[in-house]
Amino acid sequence: KMYAEDMEVKMGRTPHRLYLFNHAPNTGAEVVFYQGKNNNNAYVHPNKFPWVNLNLDPNGSVLMENQHHSMYYMGFDWLASVVSYNLKKYPGEIDKNLVNDGSISWNGYDCYKITINNPKFSYINYTVGAGESLESISKKNFISEYMIQENNPKAPSGFKETIKAGTVLKIPSDYAKKTILYIDKKTMLPVGQFVSDDKGLFEQYEFHNLQVNPVIKEEEFSSSYKEYKF
């Protein structure tokens, strides 16, 4: 089942910091996260029961409900790493697997449409090493934690939870079987991302009104900022 979410996001990359305003499904909810502060918890105004602000782990069950990624992955860095890793992994197949479908107008952006096919996408056995978790395995192999969890019913519910060494998991060989990217010609950033696995569409991200390197005041990454309702 696909879940849709619509958010306004302000983001700083170093250190990783975020302000999120949810338009749907939980209209009015707000989140502030500043890596290295507040014990690395997100400060959340849920705008619903229990009607109090909460400090929540970005990787915890509440904020990760129906999510493929935690807020640590927001932005374009993880996608860039995945694409770069796979291009290096299959160097002799780039010409036939990566296709520039030409220029296209998409969501008001003048874009290049790039299709990346991976006919070698499959599921393989992986033996868990000491101290490994779904998160560490995914980062090591540039694959999706959620996809590992989905294919291993007995896997931990938490992405950071340590898995017993020697456990054999069924993991995807790569992040995706097919990826379609709409690259904005002005910024050269992927404003549309459609990722498919062996079953079909796995995840979809759309970016509207994207502003690159705007001036964002530090206080805008604080719950005390005058325009927020914490």
Side-chain angles (χ1 to χ4, degrees):
K1 182 175 180 179
M2 298 295 285
Y3 293 89
E5 195 166 19
D6 182 7
M7 292 186 293
E8 285 184 46
V9 179
K10 298 176 186 177
M11 189 186 86
R13 295 176 66 217
T14 307
H16 192 63
R17 52 207 190 279
L18 299 163
Y19 167 75
L20 314 176
F21 180 90
N22 197 292
H23 288 284
N26 186 22
T27 305
E30 296 175 285
V31 179
V32 165
F33 174 73
Y34 201 115
Q35 190 169 13
K37 295 184 178 182
N38 195 31
N39 294 316
N40 277 326
N41 287 323
Y43 194 58
V44 181
H45 166 55
N47 202 35
K48 64 178 183 179
F49 183 85
W51 304 111
V52 293
N53 295 335
L54 305 168
N55 287 298
L56 298 174
D57 179 358
N59 289 294
S61 59
V62 175
L63 290 181
M64 287 302 299
E65 184 178 7
N66 299 327
Q67 302 292 328
H68 282 189
H69 304 287
S70 77
M71 59 185 65
Y72 283 103
Y73 288 81
M74 281 195 168
F76 301 105
D77 291 311
W78 172 243
L79 173 66
S81 297
V82 169
V83 172
S84 177
Y85 176 82
N86 280 275
L87 292 178
K88 293 175 182 176
K89 184 177 180 180
Y90 302 111
E93 302 175 28
I94 294 175
D95 288 344
K96 64 179 180 180
N97 292 344
L98 192 152
V99 180
N100 184 346
D101 294 311
S103 298
I104 186 171
S105 178
W106 185 83
N107 273 350
Y109 290 101
D110 184 18
C111 296
Y112 297 110
K113 181 183 177 184
I114 305 296
T115 300
I116 305 172
N117 295 297
N118 184 0
K120 293 187 176 180
F121 178 89
S122 63
Y123 292 91
I124 59 177
N125 288 330
Y126 178 86
T127 302
V128 177
E132 289 196 304
S133 64
L134 293 180
E135 182 185 52
S136 66
I137 293 169
S138 78
K139 287 184 175 179
K140 175 182 175 181
N141 297 280
F142 293 88
I143 56 179
S144 166
E145 303 109 313
Y146 188 91
M147 202 179 291
I148 304 173
Q149 195 178 62
E150 188 178 45
N151 285 279
N152 296 275
K154 294 184 179 180
S157 58
F159 288 168
K160 296 182 75 69
E161 184 178 338
T162 301
I163 305 171
K164 182 179 179 181
T167 301
V168 177
L169 300 174
K170 188 75 70 175
I171 70 170
S173 59
D174 302 289
Y175 193 89
K177 184 173 183 178
K178 181 179 181 179
T179 303
I180 297 175
L181 303 175
Y182 292 95
I183 310 294
D184 176 23
K185 290 182 179 180
K186 289 183 179 179
T187 64
M188 296 304 292
L189 292 173
V191 290
Q193 307 168 21
F194 297 80
V195 178
S196 298
D197 59 9
D198 56 317
K199 301 171 187 175
L201 184 64
F202 175 67
E203 60 189 14
Q204 170 181 336
Y205 298 96
E206 298 183 15
F207 298 84
H208 302 263
N209 304 313
L210 179 66
Q211 299 177 47
V212 180
N213 296 325
V215 176
I216 303 177
K217 299 175 183 177
E218 276 296 289
E219 55 260 38
E220 295 183 52
F221 296 109
S222 168
S223 60
S224 61
Y225 186 56
K226 60 184 179 181
E227 295 184 9
Y228 304 156
K229 293 182 171 59
F230 287 92

